[in-house]
Amino acid sequence: MRCTRSIMHRIILSCMVLLLFPALIQATTWYVATTGDDVQNDCNEAQIIGTPKKTINAALACVGFSAGAGAGDLVQVASGTYTETIGTWPSGSSSSQFVLKSATQYGTIIRPTGSSQILYFSSDYVTVDGFVIDGVNTDANNVWFNPTTGVILQNCEIKNTRTGGEPGIGSFQAIYSTNATGAIIRNNLIHDVGTSFSNHASHGIYWGSFNSTIEGNTIHTISGWGMQIYSSSASNLNNNIIGGNRIYNYSKGGSAGGIYIGNGTNNTAYNNVIYEPTFNASAYCFIIADSGNKVWNNTCYNNAVGIDTSNASSAEVRNNIAYIGGVNFGGGTVFSNNFTSDPIFVNISAGDFHLQSGSPAINVPGATLTAFVTDFDGVSRPQGANWDLGAYEKVLSSPTVTMTGPGNGATVSGPSVTVSANATPSAGTSIAGVQF
């Protein structure tokens, strides 16, 4: 009886583990390499790194395309060049993504030929990590987000987006979306977009979606806008977060700029660094053209216009630096602590827009916000009594403290010994007192 009860307890416990941790048990890794074989190596063999599939699409088919089939699973792709496009994906779940990952960041290059989108997201809860997505031979967008939920694109290099013909005709984007939600575009390098023609309609990111996050990307050498939140057809472009991106060398094909928020409300852009290495008379840093959007603590440099809200209402423009370019404000704009004079950057020619000690943009009364608490580098705000303006918070050094007293090894007598301390504050700080 005891034996039977013990066995039953073990069976029940095993069932509970299966119910509580299905993702851990079902998670599988498939491997892809240019030396692999899609015919000889079946899906079971492709789970061994020494017998991989040859193409990414063959490995994705092993995962399966039913709803949630890829939850917790991984397809890992070895370095090399792959000439395929991807339009059919396994899906993950809200608690467990499906992941397609380059074994080495930037080691796996996807460089097809033709007129299909290179990555065409059509399934939910997919993560793509670490690839080079090269459009040099493709007359299409590099990446297209269909109406999907929870797709993550991170740590990739997305480059060489072509234009399809005359300016404004056949314009392609490095990243394009329509009606996606909950997407994350994070820590990507996006460059050389639409530069084969003078075409200001080819952009780094053309975002027609909502409730998404675009953060930590470097975007440069763009014919049109570095990034725009705009669509003539999408139903919802609200509640996007645009934070900590570096955008430069844009508007190469005509009037464009760094970030354009043309549609939607409650979109927030903060801690972005947007600049032109040489002055561009066609360039804007920001245009905000719809109501209820927020532009906080950004650094703009060397644009014809820094921040323009002339066609928007009830925008919030706070704590920005717009040096060389200035600002144009529309009706109802909430405008505070924006700085258009020389903020004394560390090294403009090297693209270093940190603030030097003594900058008038440091420790500005009334600049404190609560929606975020760090700067472009992840440094806590504030470092002093108040927030700094722009994307960077000046890291304050500790005060210099000197002490005097009896020398080392000295003999003293009497009821007391005199020891003194002197503290010299660092730039931008003050000292309330010294205790020891």
Side-chain angles (χ1 to χ4, degrees):
M1 191 69 164
R2 292 178 183 171
C3 180
T4 302
R5 186 177 300 154
S6 176
I7 292 171
M8 288 301 297
H9 285 174
R10 291 176 185 175
I11 292 171
I12 292 169
L13 180 60
S14 297
C15 291
M16 290 176 65
V17 170
L18 286 169
L19 290 170
L20 291 172
F21 302 106
L24 293 177
I25 294 171
Q26 296 174 4
T28 304
T29 299
W30 287 268
Y31 296 94
V32 179
T34 56
T35 56
D37 194 312
D38 287 346
V39 177
Q40 296 299 320
N41 299 338
D42 64 25
C43 288
N44 288 326
E45 291 171 311
Q47 296 173 32
I48 302 169
I49 196 169
T51 52
K53 289 290 187 180
K54 185 178 181 64
T55 63
I56 298 170
N57 281 291
L60 298 182
C62 288
V63 181
F65 303 119
S66 60
D73 290 341
L74 168 68
V75 169
Q76 179 173 295
V77 186
S79 295
T81 299
Y82 299 79
T83 58
E84 54 192 303
T85 61
I86 304 172
T88 305
W89 297 81
S91 60
S93 69
S94 59
S95 60
S96 189
Q97 297 278 116
F98 166 70
V99 179
L100 176 66
K101 183 176 177 63
S102 173
T104 302
Q105 185 180 15
Y106 302 158
T108 304
I109 302 167
I110 304 178
R111 185 189 291 143
T113 300
S115 57
S116 297
Q117 326 299 330
I118 301 175
L119 301 186
Y120 185 78
F121 289 119
S122 54
S123 295
D124 298 336
Y125 304 112
V126 172
T127 295
V128 172
D129 190 341
F131 291 81
V132 174
I133 305 164
D134 189 348
V136 68
N137 298 322
T138 305
D139 287 321
N141 304 297
N142 293 49
V143 180
W144 183 304
F145 285 71
N146 250 352
T148 51
T149 299
V151 173
I152 301 173
L153 179 67
Q154 63 186 17
N155 305 319
C156 292
E157 181 181 9
I158 304 162
K159 65 179 183 178
N160 296 332
T161 308
R162 297 173 65 176
T163 52
E166 300 174 17
I169 300 175
S171 301
F172 303 125
Q173 326 299 324
I175 298 173
Y176 178 85
S177 82
T178 179
N179 290 320
T181 184
I184 299 175
I185 300 176
R186 178 169 56 205
N187 299 337
N188 299 287
L189 173 60
I190 302 167
H191 63 96
D192 290 282
V193 176
T195 56
S196 58
F197 280 95
S198 294
N199 188 346
H200 65 275
S202 289
H203 313 301
I205 299 175
Y206 192 131
W207 198 249
S209 298
F210 60 103
N211 294 346
S212 297
T213 300
I214 303 172
E215 64 182 5
N217 303 284
T218 296
I219 304 171
H220 72 86
T221 315
I222 310 295
S223 183
W225 288 89
M227 182 190 314
Q228 68 170 8
I229 310 297
Y230 175 80
S231 175
S232 60
S233 59
S235 58
N236 185 346
L237 283 81
N238 304 333
N239 305 314
N240 294 293
I241 296 172
I242 306 164
N245 301 283
R246 176 181 289 269
I247 306 174
Y248 63 95
N249 201 28
Y250 39 81
S251 188
K252 300 296 99 179
S255 181
I259 296 177
Y260 176 63
I261 301 178
N263 294 129
T265 189
N266 200 38
N267 297 295
T268 303
Y270 70 96
N271 284 346
N272 298 286
V273 178
I274 305 171
Y275 62 98
E276 284 285 68
T278 57
F279 179 75
N280 186 339
S282 299
Y284 294 77
C285 181
F286 277 95
I287 291 182
I288 311 301
D290 209 342
S291 61
N293 295 295
K294 304 171 183 68
V295 179
W296 294 335
N297 279 94
N298 300 281
T299 294
C300 299
Y301 171 71
N302 218 20
N303 296 273
V305 177
I307 302 171
D308 188 317
T309 65
S310 58
N311 292 317
S313 62
S314 66
E316 290 187 21
V317 181
R318 303 179 187 268
N319 299 353
N320 301 283
I321 294 173
Y323 179 44
I324 305 180
V327 291
N328 292 328
F329 294 111
T333 297
V334 176
F335 171 68
S336 64
N337 289 316
N338 296 285
F339 196 79
T340 57
S341 299
D342 186 354
I344 315 178
F345 294 127
V346 168
N347 190 338
I348 291 173
S349 62
D352 187 346
F353 295 95
H354 290 82
L355 301 173
Q356 292 190 47
S357 296
S359 167
I362 293 174
N363 196 24
V364 176
T368 299
L369 300 173
T370 59
F372 57 100
V373 295
T374 58
D375 76 347
F376 182 96
D377 292 332
V379 173
S380 296
R381 294 182 185 268
Q383 289 287 298
N386 304 290
W387 279 34
D388 300 344
L389 307 183
Y392 294 105
E393 188 80 5
K394 173 66 175 175
V395 178
L396 302 178
S397 57
S398 300
T400 302
V401 179
T402 57
M403 299 186 67
T404 59
N408 188 27
T411 301
V412 297
S413 61
S416 63
V417 176
T418 300
V419 178
S420 63
N422 182 63
T424 302
S426 59
T429 67
S430 61
I431 295 173
V434 179
Q435 294 181 339
F436 58 90

